[in-house]
Amino acid sequence: APASARPPAPSEVSLPGDAFYPESITAAPGGSLFVSSLVTGEIVRFSPGSSEPATFVADDVNVGTAGVMADPDRQVLWACAVDLSFQTESQLRAFDLRTGALVASYPMPDGGVCADIALAQGDVYVTDTLGGRILRLTTDRGTAVGGVLAVWSADPVLAGGAFLKINGITFDGERTLYTTNYSTGELFAVRIAPDGSAEPAEPIVLDTPMTNPDGIRWHGGY
């Protein structure tokens, strides 16, 4: 529905329980909001205009859930399944955007930990916060299944800092991805070359330093 026909957005929404610990948020084109829990693994959905959550992915599906991203072209919600105890492997997962059913799972290679997600030029880009890498998932158009998840950028510049490295990621709608380093507070730009490969990561000098930056989103303009 057009924005003018949607119910007014509430100024606050309520998350379930006292240990939800929200990690990421994304919006579908129709106005629904999705919020993930790093601790319980649950993903909740807020219908347009509602401040009350409904379970979208139950808390027994993912051990914990980090980044989430609505993908209207594939009609899925991408989610980073993580385990803070590191007893199970981290995966990039796709859930049906209407029903919440699990559609596809892609294990992170080499023990990587899926942190956050961006959509760019038809592909899905994922940060590996332990390895300091950006991975890319390519699939056939309009589907989330049968894809290939592989390292796209392993630029050493992205792997600085301590335990947790790059985390948040976003796309400017043209040819540049931006990512943050959780440990160092740095912001980087990584351009997509004409052949689809990653150009060298470029640090962006900030007027005000960031402390433990996590999720980021692009909001129009330059």
Side-chain angles (χ1 to χ4, degrees), residues 66-206:
V68 289
M69 176 60 66
D71 184 346
D73 290 339
R74 296 178 179 85
Q75 282 296 297
V76 298
L77 179 79
W78 294 104
C80 285
V82 299
D83 180 356
L84 297 180
S85 70
F86 299 98
Q87 299 302 302
T88 58
E89 66 180 355
S90 181
Q91 297 186 353
L92 172 65
R93 289 181 163 176
F95 297 91
D96 187 286
L97 201 52
R98 297 174 296 274
T99 67
L102 180 62
V103 173
S105 294
Y106 297 95
M108 293 287 287
D110 306 316
V113 172
C114 183
D116 210 348
I117 306 158
L119 306 176
Q121 299 182 358
D123 295 324
V124 183
Y125 290 81
V126 183
T127 49
D128 168 12
T129 193
L130 282 190
R133 308 172 300 173
I134 301 175
L135 283 66
R136 180 175 63 185
L137 175 73
T138 56
T139 70
D140 289 339
R141 184 174 179 84
T143 182
V145 300
V148 176
L149 181 63
V151 175
W152 179 71
S153 175
D155 192 319
V157 172
L158 301 176
F163 185 57
L164 298 179
K165 300 172 177 58
I166 58 170
N167 199 310
I169 187 170
T170 192
F171 179 55
D172 70 355
E174 297 292 336
R175 55 169 295 209
T176 305
L177 290 159
Y178 294 87
T179 186
T180 53
N181 187 302
Y182 184 84
S183 294
T184 67
E186 294 171 289
L187 176 66
F188 299 96
V190 186
R191 291 180 176 83
I192 303 172
D195 65 358
S197 64
E199 295 188 1
E202 298 181 6
I204 297 175
V205 178
L206 302 174

